[in-house]
């Protein structure tokens, strides 16, 4: 049986709560990026998430984590990305931090899964959109909290077959 670990970076607790929700639904271990180590990186699958700050930047704890991902061979691993953002106040950089996580994992050789259509989202721009899709699951648990659970469930249904 393959092992999946959910890794998050969170400043206000929103991204942590989302990571816990994903982990609980999957029966997966949930780890703060500050605790990213060789045991976590040995997992078959990683689900990595960050909140987005300022002009589309990563949550602070992820800066070392991104370097770790870039410097670790992720070949043979499946990685999915999720992000938390604010589509109303930061609609021009919505969930932009996902792009950095995606690019780092892809550079490490991971097989990336979990693209999500931008249909049904309200935002102006995001570096995490490629060819009309988010590179992972984008969530706004502040302004669109009524959509969070359904979006998580649909995304997990999409990525779970690739994680086994």
């Amino acid at each position: 049986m393959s092992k999946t670990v959910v890794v998050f970076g969170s400043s206000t607790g929103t991204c942590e709560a989302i990571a816990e929700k994903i982990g609980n639904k999957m029966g997966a271990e949930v780890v703060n990026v500050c605790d990213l180590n060789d045991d976590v990186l040995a997992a078959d699958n990683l689900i990595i998430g960050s909140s987005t700050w300022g002009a589309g930047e990563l949550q602070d704890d992820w800066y070392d984590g991104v370097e770790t991902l870039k410097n670790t061979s992720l070949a043979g691993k499946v990685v999915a990305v999720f992000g938390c953002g604010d589509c109303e106040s930061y609609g021009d950089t919505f969930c932009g931090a996902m792009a950095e996580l995606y690019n780092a994992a892809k550079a490490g050789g991971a097989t990336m899964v979990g693209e999500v259509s931008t249909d049904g989202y309200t935002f102006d721009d995001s570096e995490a959109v490629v060819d009309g899709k988010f590179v992972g699951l984008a969530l706004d648990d502040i302004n669109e909290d009524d959509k969070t659970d359904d979006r998580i469930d649909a995304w997990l249904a999409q990525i779970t077959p690739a994680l086994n």
Side-chain angles (χ1 to χ4, degrees), residues 31-51:
V31 176
N32 188 306
V33 67
C34 295
D35 299 320
L36 191 62
N37 58 38
D38 290 340
D39 289 338
V40 172
L41 293 170
D44 302 297
N45 311 303
L46 297 173
I47 298 176
I48 55 178
S50 176
S51 48

Side-chain angles (χ1 to χ4, degrees), residues 34-139:
C34 295
D35 299 320
L36 191 62
N37 58 38
D38 290 340
D39 289 338
V40 172
L41 293 170
D44 302 297
N45 311 303
L46 297 173
I47 298 176
I48 55 178
S50 176
S51 48
T52 299
W53 293 90
E57 292 140 18
L58 282 170
Q59 188 271 340
D60 289 343
D61 297 335
W62 261 111
Y63 285 102
D64 289 337
V66 163
E67 290 307 312
T68 300
L69 291 177
K70 287 180 183 176
N71 295 318
T72 301
S73 174
L74 299 175
K77 297 188 184 305
V78 176
V79 176
V81 178
F82 71 96
C84 300
D86 181 336
C87 67
E88 290 185 11
S89 298
Y90 296 96
D92 58 339
T93 60
F94 181 61
C95 289
M98 284 195 308
E100 286 194 60
L101 296 181
Y102 177 89
N103 291 335
K106 192 171 180 179
T111 299
M112 304 302 296
V113 298
E115 293 176 332
V116 174
S117 171
T118 59
D119 293 346
Y121 284 87
T122 304
F123 69 102
D124 296 321
D125 194 22
S126 176
E127 288 187 27
V129 174
V130 177
D131 297 328
K133 292 185 175 183
F134 287 108
V135 296
L137 176 62
L139 298 168

Side-chain angles (χ1 to χ4, degrees), residues 133-153:
K133 292 185 175 183
F134 287 108
V135 296
L137 176 62
L139 298 168
D140 181 343
D141 203 45
I142 305 302
N143 302 299
E144 297 183 341
D145 59 322
D146 58 320
K147 298 177 182 179
T148 297
D149 286 334
D150 289 342
R151 286 177 172 166
I152 290 172
D153 290 344

